[in-house]
Amino acid sequence: MFLLLISSCFNQLWKRLCAETATEFNLLLHNWKYLLAGIFFQYIHGVAARGVHYFHRPGPILQDVGFYLLPELGLDKAYISETVFTSIFVSFFLWTFHPFIFKSKKIYTVLIWCRVLAFLVACQILRILTFYSTQLPGPNYHCRMGSELATLPPPNNPLEVFIIIPGSILYGCGDLIFSSHMIFTLVFVHTYHKYGTRRFIKYCAWLAAVIQSLLIIASRKHYTVDVVVAWYTVNLMIFFLDHTLPELSDRTGAAAFLLPVNKDNKDKEENHKLLNGSSGESLDRRSRNIVNSKIVEDGNTGHGDMGDE
């Protein structure tokens, strides 16, 4: 009995996975250009961050109110900030793929990532323009005076600038205003706040964003201004794009035409239209025809009876 139950659950899960894969593949065929452009711009953003590192010159750390209020974590505890950010990133990434597993499906994975990438690209364009406008001495440990990683030697050829390696991303300097970590964090939290279903998780997500902000400053990865500018810039950009872009289709929205349709679905759709009044006029006409035909039949029957009498 137990094995039969496991087999039944596995079959249902496999059918759900196959159906969802087919649906998302159809959406991918219509939206792959947007996804590819958003992913490619992540590379452009990485190249821009590496390029500004060539202009970085270490200097005295600027006065910062956050550095006075928050104790410095130290080099040995700097991983805490990255751990919180990684947890937020991985949690959001897995949530966007939950329709493949769970029955409660409110979003489409392809469409949600199209919207997320649009938010990221818009914010990253503003970030690139900002940190290329003015280079500040980095407060991070590897960006301070005396560190070999604080400056980069001139590139031997132009192609060297376009080669991004993990080390150049982790130990970059000069790309300060505004925080890239906060861009991702706020975009993810905003997206789940709008399309997620668990209120408690929404509260936890916003709390994690606040904790992430404090940890970035305490780890001396950014100045306080980098985090503050990120909070209002990202929020305003999301607000603007959210009202400019077409609303994301849910499971019953405009993207339903990409789902496989059978006769039962068509019948359900027609019944749904009748109940919602979209076909109310034809329904009223049909009702009136039935009533009129009934009256005529009764009238004919009545005349026949009177003639017999």
Side-chain angles (χ1 to χ4, degrees):
M1 180 64 68
F2 181 71
L3 294 177
L4 291 176
L5 181 61
I6 294 179
S7 177
S8 177
C9 294
F10 178 79
N11 290 335
Q12 292 178 3
L13 180 61
W14 177 252
K15 291 179 180 179
R16 189 181 308 127
L17 182 63
C18 293
E20 196 66 28
T21 301
T23 301
E24 294 290 346
F25 182 75
N26 289 332
L27 289 171
L28 183 62
L29 292 178
H30 289 78
N31 298 276
W32 67 270
K33 295 180 181 179
Y34 305 108
L35 289 174
L36 183 61
I39 295 173
F40 179 73
F41 193 84
Q42 302 309 303
Y43 168 75
I44 298 299
H45 177 257
V47 171
R50 175 173 172 81
V52 79
H53 195 170
Y54 288 101
F55 301 102
H56 178 259
R57 295 296 178 267
I61 299 177
L62 305 178
Q63 295 186 13
D64 190 283
V65 63
F67 292 178
Y68 287 108
L69 297 178
L70 296 175
E72 187 172 351
L73 289 179
L75 187 59
D76 57 333
K77 297 180 181 179
Y79 69 91
I80 298 178
S81 174
E82 290 298 326
T83 301
V84 174
F85 174 75
T86 303
S87 301
I88 295 173
F89 189 98
V90 173
S91 299
F92 179 81
F93 182 83
L94 293 177
W95 170 77
T96 59
F97 285 90
H98 82 276
F100 287 85
I101 305 297
F102 299 101
K103 293 182 179 180
S104 57
K105 299 174 284 190
K106 184 180 178 182
I107 63 169
Y108 291 102
T109 303
V110 171
L111 298 182
I112 203 75
W113 274 108
C114 286
R115 204 170 189 86
V116 166
L117 288 171
F119 294 155
L120 292 176
V121 169
C123 295
Q124 288 168 343
I125 290 175
L126 295 180
R127 181 173 188 260
I128 293 172
L129 295 175
T130 306
F131 65 62
Y132 266 102
S133 300
T134 303
Q135 288 80 47
L136 304 178
N140 210 335
Y141 302 104
H142 63 269
C143 298
R144 300 178 183 179
M145 290 187 295
S147 174
E148 296 180 356
L149 301 175
T151 58
L152 289 179
N156 297 322
N157 55 75
L159 293 178
E160 187 176 332
V161 181
F162 295 93
I163 299 176
I164 300 178
I165 57 177
S168 63
I169 298 176
L170 295 176
Y171 297 100
C173 299
D175 56 329
L176 293 175
I177 300 177
F178 42 96
S179 172
S180 179
H181 283 61
M182 290 308 303
I183 291 178
F184 282 90
T185 299
L186 292 174
V187 167
F188 292 166
V189 172
H190 261 287
T191 304
Y192 183 81
H193 181 84
K194 183 174 182 178
Y195 299 106
T197 57
R198 305 292 182 178
R199 182 177 299 181
F200 176 74
I201 298 180
K202 293 180 182 180
Y203 293 150
C204 292
W206 283 110
L207 178 61
V210 174
I211 294 175
Q212 175 69 33
S213 304
L214 300 177
L215 288 175
I216 288 175
I217 300 173
S219 301
R220 303 302 187 256
K221 295 181 178 180
H222 281 277
Y223 293 108
T224 305
V225 65
D226 305 337
V227 175
V228 172
V229 171
W231 268 93
Y232 64 73
T233 303
V234 176
N235 287 329
L236 289 175
M237 182 58 67
I238 292 176
F239 177 82
F240 172 76
L241 290 178
D242 222 18
H243 289 74
T244 303
L245 297 174
E247 181 52 48
L248 182 66
S249 301
D250 58 16
R251 307 298 299 198
T252 59
F257 72 94
L258 295 172
L259 299 175
V261 178
N262 53 33
K263 184 178 182 301
D264 295 336
N265 289 337
K266 291 182 179 179
D267 294 338
K268 292 180 181 179
E269 183 179 359
E270 291 177 359
N271 294 333
H272 182 70
K273 290 181 179 179
L274 291 175
L275 292 175
N276 287 339
S278 60
S279 301
E281 184 178 356
S282 60
L283 181 63
D284 292 340
R285 187 184 301 111
R286 190 180 307 169
S287 300
R288 287 196 299 267
N289 292 336
I290 294 174
V291 172
N292 292 336
S293 62
K294 182 66 175 177
I295 293 174
V296 172
E297 291 177 359
D298 292 343
N300 294 333
T301 304
H303 290 304
D305 294 341
M306 290 177 65
D308 292 339
E309 289 178 358

